[in-house]
Structures are given as C-alpha cells and as structure tokens.
Amino acid sequence: MTGVPASAAGGSSGAQGAPGSAATSGAAPDLSGPQNAGPQATGAEESGAEDFGAESGGADKAGAGHIGGENAGGGSIGAEDSGSGDGERPVRGGRKIAAAAVNQASLWNVANLLTMLRLLLVPGFVALMLAGGGYDPAWRSLAWAAFAIAMITDLFDGHLARTYNLVTDFGKIADPIADKAIMGAALICLSSLGDLPWWVTVVILGRELGITLLRFLVIRYGVIPASRGGKLKTLTQGVAVGMYVLALTGWLATLRFWVMAAAVVLTVVTGLDYVRQAIVLRRQGIAERAAALEETEA
C-alpha cells in the first residue's frame, strides 16, 4: 500500500458526521449554516427563528405545524405575537373573540337568573300581600320576605354582570323592568290597602317612568349615568316600602313615615337632577353636531 485513499483522508480530517457530499469532496463542513439551529430547522432563516429548533422554521411558508399555524404563520399558538413557536402567548385577538362568543351564548348566567327570579317574585309578592284580606301580619311578613329577596338580588345582579362580563341584551332590558315591577307592585298594593297615600305612589312611579323615558329620548346624544343620589334614593325607597309592607306599630310606624318622607324628597330631587343632566347632554350633543357640520362644509 503506497498511500491512503482521498476519501479516507477526508474522513480522517474531522469531517465525520457531515453530509456525504462533504466527505467525498474532502471539504470541511460549513459550521455557520442552519445545521447548528437544531434538527429539522429547514427555512429558519426565512422565519427569523434560527435558534428555536424543530417545527419553528418553515412553518411560515408551509402554514402547518401546531394548532393555529395557518392563522398565526408560526408553528404553534401565538407564534405571530411572540415571534417564536413555543406557544406560550395566545393571540391577542383570540381572547376578545372568545369572550364575545361566550357572552353571546351566556343568556343563562347568574346575573340573568337573578333578574328572572326577581320577575317571578312580583306575582308571588302580590299574592302574599293581598292574602288574608291584606292585613294578616303573617302573610305580610311573608310578603316582606319576598320583597327583601327581590331588593337584594337587585343589588347583586348588576354588579355581577359588570364584574364578570355577563352583560347581555336580555339583562339590559329585563333588569330595569324587574326593578320597577317589584317596586310598583308594592306601592300599588300599599295604596290599595290604604296604608300609603296614593299621591306618594304617583310621585314615585311617575318619576321612575319619566326618567326612563327621558333616558331613551336623549340616548342619541349620550347616556345619563346613575348618580350617587339616585342609588341612595333606591336604597331609601326599598327600606321605606319594606317597613310599610310589615305590619308595624308604635314608634316603628312613626319611623317608617319619616323614612318614606326622605325617600319622596330624594325621588323628586334626583329626578330634577336627571332632567338637568338630560338638558345639558342634549345641548352638548347639538353643539358637537353643528361644529362637525361646519367643519365638513368648510
């Protein structure tokens, strides 16, 4: 044997493990190529993910890989957001789309169930209120319990809907109806039984219906927010009506008169404040439209 073959010489010069073409030519492998990026990193240069290894490169071109690859342009969920194929971050728009889908299908959520319960309590309350001629303390106590449950659910359903994103079109319509239905039923029953003057019932119900109508009239210009005075009015009305539903005597009967007087005052004052807000909101809306029209014509 006079010498070593060229192919053997190339293999002994450190080219083991390189592709066959490099071994036969005797040339050293190019260590700067994509081979160091990890197995199956084809196309990593195009996706900018040379260091992320398998299934990361090339997904941008193939549109395949893990779930969501066809939309994100990467090998896994959120590849477009994170710039990698590790799938640790969800797509930003995905959360909003998923939340919208849940809201559209969540009619039977806790907030709406509480609103429905309040609606169902209205005829039950009236039946209990008028049972036994309307003056039986036992039946009046049961009627008070139904009224109290309705008032408590009124405090919680709106809060739950806003906190946990359970607001639905049904809730927007049914919640104010349920509020006014239970309060109106209690006031009418009390006035029918002679426990409460009719003018008090007319003032309270007239204010509630009038403000609701006013909100609809100015909704094109904006929304009138609920004020602290309005919330205090609702609480005072609930306490006063609840005290009248119970068959109270003595100093408690005197106390309920003053609580109801405070409720009537708050009802009138907050009603006038809502009217003022509606007028201001309408003027601002008209002024903004006029200014926008002038800019368009100019």
Side-chain angles (χ1 to χ4, degrees):
M1 296 177 64
T2 61
V4 181
S7 60
S12 63
S13 64
Q16 296 91 342
S21 60
T24 57
S25 64
D30 185 4
L31 299 180
S32 63
Q35 288 84 353
N36 286 342
Q40 301 176 3
T42 305
E45 308 151 325
E46 295 172 355
S47 63
E50 291 89 349
D51 297 329
F52 292 105
E55 299 176 358
S56 175
D60 199 26
K61 296 296 182 182
H66 293 183
I67 300 173
E70 64 269 21
N71 291 329
S76 59
I77 299 175
E80 189 178 53
D81 246 4
S82 62
S84 66
D86 54 8
E88 292 179 357
R89 295 184 184 178
V91 180
R92 292 177 182 175
R95 292 181 180 177
K96 295 181 180 179
I97 295 173
V102 170
N103 288 339
Q104 291 174 0
S106 60
L107 174 63
W108 300 98
N109 59 60
V110 177
N112 285 347
L113 289 175
L114 291 176
T115 301
M116 294 176 192
L117 174 62
R118 196 156 72 256
L119 286 170
L120 293 175
L121 283 173
V122 174
F125 166 80
V126 173
L128 293 171
M129 189 71 181
L130 300 180
Y135 299 101
D136 189 323
W139 289 111
R140 293 284 286 261
S141 298
L142 292 175
W144 176 86
F147 181 80
I149 292 173
M151 291 293 101
I152 292 173
T153 58
D154 180 29
L155 295 176
F156 283 102
D157 60 355
H159 175 72
L160 290 173
R162 291 185 297 270
T163 302
Y164 298 101
N165 196 23
L166 301 175
V167 178
T168 62
D169 292 337
F170 171 81
K172 293 177 183 178
I173 298 174
D175 183 67
I177 292 176
D179 297 343
K180 292 169 177 57
I182 189 68
M183 182 61 67
L187 290 170
I188 292 173
C189 286
L190 289 172
S191 294
S192 299
L193 294 172
D195 293 339
L196 190 68
W198 274 106
W199 70 265
V200 175
T201 297
V202 171
V203 168
I204 295 177
L205 292 185
R207 183 268 190 196
E208 298 299 330
L209 296 176
I211 296 302
T212 301
L213 178 60
L214 186 64
R215 287 178 183 272
F216 280 110
L217 290 176
V218 300
I219 197 171
R220 69 181 69 180
Y221 306 109
V223 177
I224 303 176
S227 62
R228 292 183 179 180
K231 295 177 181 179
L232 179 61
K233 178 269 305 178
T234 301
L235 177 62
T236 308
Q237 281 184 359
V239 173
V241 172
M243 294 179 72
Y244 269 87
V245 170
L246 286 172
L248 299 178
T249 57
W251 67 272
L252 288 176
T254 304
L255 177 62
R256 71 181 182 182
F257 169 82
W258 291 108
V259 176
M260 181 59 75
V264 171
V265 172
L266 287 172
T267 298
V268 174
V269 171
T270 56
L272 294 175
D273 182 62
Y274 278 124
V275 172
R276 180 192 62 80
Q277 292 185 50
I279 294 173
V280 172
L281 188 63
R282 181 176 179 274
R283 287 177 178 175
Q284 290 178 349
I286 294 175
E288 290 175 358
R289 289 187 178 185
L293 183 59
E294 290 180 358
E295 290 181 0
T296 304
E297 293 176 351

